[in-house]
Amino acid sequence: MQPQQPSHILKQRTGPDDPVLQETLEEALSQVSADDVISIADELSARHERLFLNLKADPVSLTSSFADVAAAVTHTKVNARALTNYFAQGDYKIFNELLNGEAPAPVRVAIFVEKLNALDTRLAMELATGLLHHTSPKDHWLWTRWLWDPTTATGILPLLAGSTHNLLAENFADGYARVGSVTAMSMKFAEGTGLWTDELISDEKRAPFANSAFLACAYNVYLFGTTSWRLSREFNNLLPTLPNMARRLLGLKKSES
């Protein structure tokens, strides 16, 4: 039997301090512009007006729009289908308590997730926080698995924060509050990237979605950078553009431009 030849796709990995990694991260960052982040924030704002603006006042409207909502709050068609099938019977009373309950938002999120115990916990969390954020973006934030996944201790937030320390929690309510705090702190990092601009945050409709747009781009810069570090350029050329990868994370359609 002939020895296996090294793959032309995989590069030899020499460790996390490999200078090539820093180079590929910088190359990945160059593939996302401030205008890309602005465009994504504008698309989130437009979707908010089209799909989520009146949802808090009229949760019953979920009956006709739930498939679109499911596609907006998760990043794969499989997960969107799982949510749609789960609520196929049309029992949307649970959403009124989530959106309009008197308890603090972290408590409402925890109650919602615990009631949906037949769903994957991460998917229930994405649905709960996606609904809250997209209906009231100035008041609530996202908690998705690509932001922080406590089951695997991965996500863009611990990378930007430098550790998982501030994200560790014993329950869903505390976890949601901690994700919000670290999300806010991560904006200090954003200011040093060149992607966080006055134009991004000065528009009142765009500004509430600036965090989500930036973090989705940041996640894909890191993902693409570490992937490029190990994969050949020919293989990387087959991947979507970084802005479109960010759009996918946020449940947006890809841009053809």
PDB file of all heavy atoms in Angstrom, residues 27-58:
ATOM      1  N   GLU A  27      -5.663  39.360   5.772  1.00  0.00           N
ATOM      2  CA  GLU A  27      -6.174  39.246   4.415  1.00  0.00           C
ATOM      3  C   GLU A  27      -7.690  39.111   4.418  1.00  0.00           C
ATOM      4  O   GLU A  27      -8.391  39.726   3.603  1.00  0.00           O
ATOM      5  CB  GLU A  27      -5.553  38.036   3.711  1.00  0.00           C
ATOM      6  CG  GLU A  27      -6.044  37.840   2.282  1.00  0.00           C
ATOM      7  CD  GLU A  27      -5.479  36.586   1.640  1.00  0.00           C
ATOM      8  OE1 GLU A  27      -4.551  35.995   2.206  1.00  0.00           O
ATOM      9  OE2 GLU A  27      -5.993  36.212   0.572  1.00  0.00           O
ATOM     10  N   ALA A  28      -8.202  38.324   5.369  1.00  0.00           N
ATOM     11  CA  ALA A  28      -9.653  38.159   5.470  1.00  0.00           C
ATOM     12  C   ALA A  28     -10.331  39.474   5.825  1.00  0.00           C
ATOM     13  O   ALA A  28     -11.380  39.822   5.264  1.00  0.00           O
ATOM     14  CB  ALA A  28      -9.976  37.096   6.522  1.00  0.00           C
ATOM     15  N   LEU A  29      -9.739  40.227   6.760  1.00  0.00           N
ATOM     16  CA  LEU A  29     -10.316  41.507   7.162  1.00  0.00           C
ATOM     17  C   LEU A  29     -10.394  42.464   5.979  1.00  0.00           C
ATOM     18  O   LEU A  29     -11.344  43.256   5.865  1.00  0.00           O
ATOM     19  CB  LEU A  29      -9.490  42.120   8.289  1.00  0.00           C
ATOM     20  CG  LEU A  29      -9.998  43.446   8.880  1.00  0.00           C
ATOM     21  CD1 LEU A  29     -11.404  43.277   9.442  1.00  0.00           C
ATOM     22  CD2 LEU A  29      -9.057  43.939   9.967  1.00  0.00           C
ATOM     23  N   SER A  30      -9.424  42.372   5.071  1.00  0.00           N
ATOM     24  CA  SER A  30      -9.416  43.258   3.904  1.00  0.00           C
ATOM     25  C   SER A  30     -10.554  42.947   2.940  1.00  0.00           C
ATOM     26  O   SER A  30     -10.859  43.755   2.058  1.00  0.00           O
ATOM     27  CB  SER A  30      -8.070  43.149   3.170  1.00  0.00           C
ATOM     28  OG  SER A  30      -7.960  41.893   2.496  1.00  0.00           O
ATOM     29  N   GLN A  31     -11.190  41.796   3.100  1.00  0.00           N
ATOM     30  CA  GLN A  31     -12.275  41.403   2.207  1.00  0.00           C
ATOM     31  C   GLN A  31     -13.637  41.915   2.669  1.00  0.00           C
ATOM     32  O   GLN A  31     -14.649  41.678   2.015  1.00  0.00           O
ATOM     33  CB  GLN A  31     -12.310  39.883   2.067  1.00  0.00           C
ATOM     34  CG  GLN A  31     -11.069  39.309   1.407  1.00  0.00           C
ATOM     35  CD  GLN A  31     -11.165  37.805   1.211  1.00  0.00           C
ATOM     36  OE1 GLN A  31     -12.200  37.282   0.830  1.00  0.00           O
ATOM     37  NE2 GLN A  31     -10.074  37.106   1.463  1.00  0.00           N
ATOM     38  N   VAL A  32     -13.668  42.588   3.811  1.00  0.00           N
ATOM     39  CA  VAL A  32     -14.903  43.204   4.310  1.00  0.00           C
ATOM     40  C   VAL A  32     -14.654  44.695   4.454  1.00  0.00           C
ATOM     41  O   VAL A  32     -13.671  45.108   5.068  1.00  0.00           O
ATOM     42  CB  VAL A  32     -15.318  42.620   5.667  1.00  0.00           C
ATOM     43  CG1 VAL A  32     -16.610  43.259   6.142  1.00  0.00           C
ATOM     44  CG2 VAL A  32     -15.487  41.105   5.573  1.00  0.00           C
ATOM     45  N   SER A  33     -15.538  45.509   3.903  1.00  0.00           N
ATOM     46  CA  SER A  33     -15.375  46.955   3.988  1.00  0.00           C
ATOM     47  C   SER A  33     -16.412  47.552   4.924  1.00  0.00           C
ATOM     48  O   SER A  33     -17.412  46.913   5.280  1.00  0.00           O
ATOM     49  CB  SER A  33     -15.524  47.585   2.605  1.00  0.00           C
ATOM     50  OG  SER A  33     -16.876  47.491   2.164  1.00  0.00           O
ATOM     51  N   ALA A  34     -16.191  48.797   5.320  1.00  0.00           N
ATOM     52  CA  ALA A  34     -17.172  49.514   6.136  1.00  0.00           C
ATOM     53  C   ALA A  34     -18.506  49.598   5.412  1.00  0.00           C
ATOM     54  O   ALA A  34     -19.578  49.514   6.033  1.00  0.00           O
ATOM     55  CB  ALA A  34     -16.644  50.904   6.477  1.00  0.00           C
ATOM     56  N   ASP A  35     -18.456  49.742   4.089  1.00  0.00           N
ATOM     57  CA  ASP A  35     -19.700  49.807   3.313  1.00  0.00           C
ATOM     58  C   ASP A  35     -20.465  48.489   3.374  1.00  0.00           C
ATOM     59  O   ASP A  35     -21.704  48.481   3.328  1.00  0.00           O
ATOM     60  CB  ASP A  35     -19.396  50.155   1.849  1.00  0.00           C
ATOM     61  CG  ASP A  35     -18.997  51.613   1.666  1.00  0.00           C
ATOM     62  OD1 ASP A  35     -19.290  52.423   2.569  1.00  0.00           O
ATOM     63  OD2 ASP A  35     -18.393  51.932   0.631  1.00  0.00           O
ATOM     64  N   ASP A  36     -19.750  47.366   3.462  1.00  0.00           N
ATOM     65  CA  ASP A  36     -20.414  46.065   3.596  1.00  0.00           C
ATOM     66  C   ASP A  36     -21.201  46.000   4.905  1.00  0.00           C
ATOM     67  O   ASP A  36     -22.346  45.536   4.931  1.00  0.00           O
ATOM     68  CB  ASP A  36     -19.392  44.922   3.574  1.00  0.00           C
ATOM     69  CG  ASP A  36     -18.765  44.718   2.204  1.00  0.00           C
ATOM     70  OD1 ASP A  36     -19.480  44.868   1.199  1.00  0.00           O
ATOM     71  OD2 ASP A  36     -17.559  44.410   2.154  1.00  0.00           O
ATOM     72  N   VAL A  37     -20.588  46.450   5.988  1.00  0.00           N
ATOM     73  CA  VAL A  37     -21.264  46.423   7.287  1.00  0.00           C
ATOM     74  C   VAL A  37     -22.483  47.332   7.260  1.00  0.00           C
ATOM     75  O   VAL A  37     -23.557  46.980   7.773  1.00  0.00           O
ATOM     76  CB  VAL A  37     -20.295  46.843   8.414  1.00  0.00           C
ATOM     77  CG1 VAL A  37     -20.993  46.768   9.772  1.00  0.00           C
ATOM     78  CG2 VAL A  37     -19.065  45.943   8.426  1.00  0.00           C
ATOM     79  N   ILE A  38     -22.355  48.503   6.641  1.00  0.00           N
ATOM     80  CA  ILE A  38     -23.477  49.432   6.513  1.00  0.00           C
ATOM     81  C   ILE A  38     -24.610  48.791   5.712  1.00  0.00           C
ATOM     82  O   ILE A  38     -25.784  48.874   6.093  1.00  0.00           O
ATOM     83  CB  ILE A  38     -23.010  50.744   5.857  1.00  0.00           C
ATOM     84  CG1 ILE A  38     -22.132  51.535   6.839  1.00  0.00           C
ATOM     85  CG2 ILE A  38     -24.191  51.586   5.405  1.00  0.00           C
ATOM     86  CD1 ILE A  38     -21.447  52.726   6.213  1.00  0.00           C
ATOM     87  N   SER A  39     -24.269  48.148   4.605  1.00  0.00           N
ATOM     88  CA  SER A  39     -25.296  47.505   3.766  1.00  0.00           C
ATOM     89  C   SER A  39     -26.049  46.419   4.531  1.00  0.00           C
ATOM     90  O   SER A  39     -27.274  46.316   4.451  1.00  0.00           O
ATOM     91  CB  SER A  39     -24.660  46.903   2.513  1.00  0.00           C
ATOM     92  OG  SER A  39     -24.137  47.915   1.676  1.00  0.00           O
ATOM     93  N   ILE A  40     -25.309  45.613   5.289  1.00  0.00           N
ATOM     94  CA  ILE A  40     -25.940  44.539   6.062  1.00  0.00           C
ATOM     95  C   ILE A  40     -26.848  45.126   7.140  1.00  0.00           C
ATOM     96  O   ILE A  40     -27.975  44.644   7.354  1.00  0.00           O
ATOM     97  CB  ILE A  40     -24.867  43.622   6.666  1.00  0.00           C
ATOM     98  CG1 ILE A  40     -24.169  42.842   5.549  1.00  0.00           C
ATOM     99  CG2 ILE A  40     -25.487  42.645   7.674  1.00  0.00           C
ATOM    100  CD1 ILE A  40     -22.953  42.067   6.010  1.00  0.00           C
ATOM    101  N   ALA A  41     -26.398  46.172   7.823  1.00  0.00           N
ATOM    102  CA  ALA A  41     -27.234  46.821   8.835  1.00  0.00           C
ATOM    103  C   ALA A  41     -28.501  47.397   8.200  1.00  0.00           C
ATOM    104  O   ALA A  41     -29.590  47.310   8.784  1.00  0.00           O
ATOM    105  CB  ALA A  41     -26.444  47.916   9.542  1.00  0.00           C
ATOM    106  N   ASP A  42     -28.374  47.976   7.008  1.00  0.00           N
ATOM    107  CA  ASP A  42     -29.545  48.508   6.303  1.00  0.00           C
ATOM    108  C   ASP A  42     -30.517  47.393   5.932  1.00  0.00           C
ATOM    109  O   ASP A  42     -31.747  47.567   6.004  1.00  0.00           O
ATOM    110  CB  ASP A  42     -29.115  49.260   5.045  1.00  0.00           C
ATOM    111  CG  ASP A  42     -28.537  50.629   5.351  1.00  0.00           C
ATOM    112  OD1 ASP A  42     -28.769  51.144   6.465  1.00  0.00           O
ATOM    113  OD2 ASP A  42     -27.848  51.182   4.465  1.00  0.00           O
ATOM    114  N   GLU A  43     -29.994  46.250   5.522  1.00  0.00           N
ATOM    115  CA  GLU A  43     -30.853  45.117   5.174  1.00  0.00           C
ATOM    116  C   GLU A  43     -31.578  44.590   6.405  1.00  0.00           C
ATOM    117  O   GLU A  43     -32.751  44.195   6.330  1.00  0.00           O
ATOM    118  CB  GLU A  43     -30.006  44.020   4.522  1.00  0.00           C
ATOM    119  CG  GLU A  43     -29.500  44.393   3.134  1.00  0.00           C
ATOM    120  CD  GLU A  43     -28.360  43.502   2.657  1.00  0.00           C
ATOM    121  OE1 GLU A  43     -28.337  42.313   3.033  1.00  0.00           O
ATOM    122  OE2 GLU A  43     -27.478  44.005   1.927  1.00  0.00           O
ATOM    123  N   LEU A  44     -30.904  44.568   7.541  1.00  0.00           N
ATOM    124  CA  LEU A  44     -31.548  44.161   8.792  1.00  0.00           C
ATOM    125  C   LEU A  44     -32.646  45.142   9.177  1.00  0.00           C
ATOM    126  O   LEU A  44     -33.724  44.752   9.637  1.00  0.00           O
ATOM    127  CB  LEU A  44     -30.510  44.056   9.916  1.00  0.00           C
ATOM    128  CG  LEU A  44     -29.507  42.908   9.810  1.00  0.00           C
ATOM    129  CD1 LEU A  44     -28.419  43.065  10.868  1.00  0.00           C
ATOM    130  CD2 LEU A  44     -30.200  41.558   9.972  1.00  0.00           C
ATOM    131  N   SER A  45     -32.377  46.428   8.991  1.00  0.00           N
ATOM    132  CA  SER A  45     -33.370  47.454   9.292  1.00  0.00           C
ATOM    133  C   SER A  45     -34.597  47.312   8.397  1.00  0.00           C
ATOM    134  O   SER A  45     -35.741  47.416   8.866  1.00  0.00           O
ATOM    135  CB  SER A  45     -32.750  48.841   9.117  1.00  0.00           C
ATOM    136  OG  SER A  45     -33.715  49.855   9.311  1.00  0.00           O
ATOM    137  N   ALA A  46     -34.365  47.078   7.108  1.00  0.00           N
ATOM    138  CA  ALA A  46     -35.481  46.914   6.172  1.00  0.00           C
ATOM    139  C   ALA A  46     -36.308  45.685   6.524  1.00  0.00           C
ATOM    140  O   ALA A  46     -37.547  45.709   6.460  1.00  0.00           O
ATOM    141  CB  ALA A  46     -34.947  46.814   4.741  1.00  0.00           C
ATOM    142  N   ARG A  47     -35.649  44.606   6.908  1.00  0.00           N
ATOM    143  CA  ARG A  47     -36.378  43.402   7.302  1.00  0.00           C
ATOM    144  C   ARG A  47     -37.174  43.640   8.573  1.00  0.00           C
ATOM    145  O   ARG A  47     -38.284  43.130   8.737  1.00  0.00           O
ATOM    146  CB  ARG A  47     -35.416  42.230   7.484  1.00  0.00           C
ATOM    147  CG  ARG A  47     -36.131  40.906   7.718  1.00  0.00           C
ATOM    148  CD  ARG A  47     -35.155  39.748   7.815  1.00  0.00           C
ATOM    149  NE  ARG A  47     -34.308  39.851   9.001  1.00  0.00           N
ATOM    150  CZ  ARG A  47     -33.285  39.026   9.251  1.00  0.00           C
ATOM    151  NH1 ARG A  47     -32.978  38.068   8.395  1.00  0.00           N
ATOM    152  NH2 ARG A  47     -32.569  39.162  10.357  1.00  0.00           N
ATOM    153  N   HIS A  48     -36.590  44.397   9.496  1.00  0.00           N
ATOM    154  CA  HIS A  48     -37.298  44.751  10.730  1.00  0.00           C
ATOM    155  C   HIS A  48     -38.623  45.439  10.402  1.00  0.00           C
ATOM    156  O   HIS A  48     -39.680  45.088  10.959  1.00  0.00           O
ATOM    157  CB  HIS A  48     -36.416  45.671  11.577  1.00  0.00           C
ATOM    158  CG  HIS A  48     -37.155  46.430  12.630  1.00  0.00           C
ATOM    159  ND1 HIS A  48     -37.657  45.845  13.766  1.00  0.00           N
ATOM    160  CD2 HIS A  48     -37.478  47.749  12.707  1.00  0.00           C
ATOM    161  CE1 HIS A  48     -38.260  46.755  14.506  1.00  0.00           C
ATOM    162  NE2 HIS A  48     -38.165  47.917  13.878  1.00  0.00           N
ATOM    163  N   GLU A  49     -38.604  46.404   9.503  1.00  0.00           N
ATOM    164  CA  GLU A  49     -39.817  47.137   9.152  1.00  0.00           C
ATOM    165  C   GLU A  49     -40.824  46.244   8.437  1.00  0.00           C
ATOM    166  O   GLU A  49     -42.039  46.361   8.637  1.00  0.00           O
ATOM    167  CB  GLU A  49     -39.460  48.347   8.293  1.00  0.00           C
ATOM    168  CG  GLU A  49     -38.654  49.398   9.044  1.00  0.00           C
ATOM    169  CD  GLU A  49     -38.489  50.670   8.239  1.00  0.00           C
ATOM    170  OE1 GLU A  49     -38.990  50.726   7.095  1.00  0.00           O
ATOM    171  OE2 GLU A  49     -37.862  51.610   8.752  1.00  0.00           O
ATOM    172  N   ARG A  50     -40.312  45.338   7.618  1.00  0.00           N
ATOM    173  CA  ARG A  50     -41.205  44.485   6.838  1.00  0.00           C
ATOM    174  C   ARG A  50     -41.808  43.352   7.656  1.00  0.00           C
ATOM    175  O   ARG A  50     -42.989  43.036   7.520  1.00  0.00           O
ATOM    176  CB  ARG A  50     -40.415  43.893   5.668  1.00  0.00           C
ATOM    177  CG  ARG A  50     -41.248  43.033   4.731  1.00  0.00           C
ATOM    178  CD  ARG A  50     -40.421  42.437   3.620  1.00  0.00           C
ATOM    179  NE  ARG A  50     -39.525  41.377   4.092  1.00  0.00           N
ATOM    180  CZ  ARG A  50     -38.220  41.492   4.217  1.00  0.00           C
ATOM    181  NH1 ARG A  50     -37.620  42.644   3.925  1.00  0.00           N
ATOM    182  NH2 ARG A  50     -37.487  40.489   4.642  1.00  0.00           N
ATOM    183  N   LEU A  51     -41.018  42.771   8.559  1.00  0.00           N
ATOM    184  CA  LEU A  51     -41.416  41.512   9.184  1.00  0.00           C
ATOM    185  C   LEU A  51     -41.658  41.606  10.686  1.00  0.00           C
ATOM    186  O   LEU A  51     -42.512  40.886  11.215  1.00  0.00           O
ATOM    187  CB  LEU A  51     -40.324  40.470   8.903  1.00  0.00           C
ATOM    188  CG  LEU A  51     -40.616  39.010   9.236  1.00  0.00           C
ATOM    189  CD1 LEU A  51     -41.836  38.512   8.471  1.00  0.00           C
ATOM    190  CD2 LEU A  51     -39.390  38.156   8.900  1.00  0.00           C
ATOM    191  N   PHE A  52     -40.932  42.489  11.376  1.00  0.00           N
ATOM    192  CA  PHE A  52     -40.949  42.465  12.835  1.00  0.00           C
ATOM    193  C   PHE A  52     -41.555  43.704  13.497  1.00  0.00           C
ATOM    194  O   PHE A  52     -41.854  43.674  14.686  1.00  0.00           O
ATOM    195  CB  PHE A  52     -39.516  42.300  13.373  1.00  0.00           C
ATOM    196  CG  PHE A  52     -38.896  40.971  13.075  1.00  0.00           C
ATOM    197  CD1 PHE A  52     -38.046  40.821  11.994  1.00  0.00           C
ATOM    198  CD2 PHE A  52     -39.159  39.867  13.873  1.00  0.00           C
ATOM    199  CE1 PHE A  52     -37.453  39.591  11.719  1.00  0.00           C
ATOM    200  CE2 PHE A  52     -38.575  38.637  13.610  1.00  0.00           C
ATOM    201  CZ  PHE A  52     -37.727  38.504  12.535  1.00  0.00           C
ATOM    202  N   LEU A  53     -41.717  44.784  12.745  1.00  0.00           N
ATOM    203  CA  LEU A  53     -42.070  46.064  13.349  1.00  0.00           C
ATOM    204  C   LEU A  53     -43.339  46.002  14.188  1.00  0.00           C
ATOM    205  O   LEU A  53     -43.404  46.560  15.289  1.00  0.00           O
ATOM    206  CB  LEU A  53     -42.209  47.136  12.262  1.00  0.00           C
ATOM    207  CG  LEU A  53     -42.480  48.557  12.753  1.00  0.00           C
ATOM    208  CD1 LEU A  53     -41.350  49.045  13.646  1.00  0.00           C
ATOM    209  CD2 LEU A  53     -42.672  49.508  11.558  1.00  0.00           C
ATOM    210  N   ASN A  54     -44.364  45.322  13.680  1.00  0.00           N
ATOM    211  CA  ASN A  54     -45.649  45.281  14.379  1.00  0.00           C
ATOM    212  C   ASN A  54     -45.871  44.003  15.178  1.00  0.00           C
ATOM    213  O   ASN A  54     -46.961  43.788  15.710  1.00  0.00           O
ATOM    214  CB  ASN A  54     -46.792  45.462  13.368  1.00  0.00           C
ATOM    215  CG  ASN A  54     -46.712  46.794  12.648  1.00  0.00           C
ATOM    216  OD1 ASN A  54     -46.473  47.829  13.275  1.00  0.00           O
ATOM    217  ND2 ASN A  54     -46.915  46.773  11.340  1.00  0.00           N
ATOM    218  N   LEU A  55     -44.844  43.184  15.262  1.00  0.00           N
ATOM    219  CA  LEU A  55     -45.007  41.871  15.886  1.00  0.00           C
ATOM    220  C   LEU A  55     -45.291  41.970  17.378  1.00  0.00           C
ATOM    221  O   LEU A  55     -46.101  41.200  17.920  1.00  0.00           O
ATOM    222  CB  LEU A  55     -43.752  41.034  15.649  1.00  0.00           C
ATOM    223  CG  LEU A  55     -43.912  39.514  15.738  1.00  0.00           C
ATOM    224  CD1 LEU A  55     -44.969  39.023  14.772  1.00  0.00           C
ATOM    225  CD2 LEU A  55     -42.575  38.836  15.451  1.00  0.00           C
ATOM    226  N   LYS A  56     -44.667  42.916  18.050  1.00  0.00           N
ATOM    227  CA  LYS A  56     -44.873  43.052  19.491  1.00  0.00           C
ATOM    228  C   LYS A  56     -46.307  43.435  19.811  1.00  0.00           C
ATOM    229  O   LYS A  56     -46.908  42.925  20.757  1.00  0.00           O
ATOM    230  CB  LYS A  56     -43.913  44.092  20.064  1.00  0.00           C
ATOM    231  CG  LYS A  56     -43.955  44.193  21.583  1.00  0.00           C
ATOM    232  CD  LYS A  56     -42.879  45.127  22.100  1.00  0.00           C
ATOM    233  CE  LYS A  56     -42.920  45.188  23.622  1.00  0.00           C
ATOM    234  NZ  LYS A  56     -41.870  46.088  24.175  1.00  0.00           N
ATOM    235  N   ALA A  57     -46.878  44.320  19.006  1.00  0.00           N
ATOM    236  CA  ALA A  57     -48.262  44.749  19.232  1.00  0.00           C
ATOM    237  C   ALA A  57     -49.270  43.712  18.764  1.00  0.00           C
ATOM    238  O   ALA A  57     -50.409  43.665  19.257  1.00  0.00           O
ATOM    239  CB  ALA A  57     -48.518  46.071  18.514  1.00  0.00           C
ATOM    240  N   ASP A  58     -48.832  42.835  17.842  1.00  0.00           N
ATOM    241  CA  ASP A  58     -49.770  41.864  17.270  1.00  0.00           C
ATOM    242  C   ASP A  58     -49.085  40.511  17.072  1.00  0.00           C
ATOM    243  O   ASP A  58     -48.806  40.100  15.948  1.00  0.00           O
ATOM    244  CB  ASP A  58     -50.302  42.389  15.933  1.00  0.00           C
ATOM    245  CG  ASP A  58     -51.326  41.461  15.290  1.00  0.00           C
ATOM    246  OD1 ASP A  58     -51.955  40.674  16.038  1.00  0.00           O
ATOM    247  OD2 ASP A  58     -51.478  41.510  14.058  1.00  0.00           O
TER     248      ASP A  58
END
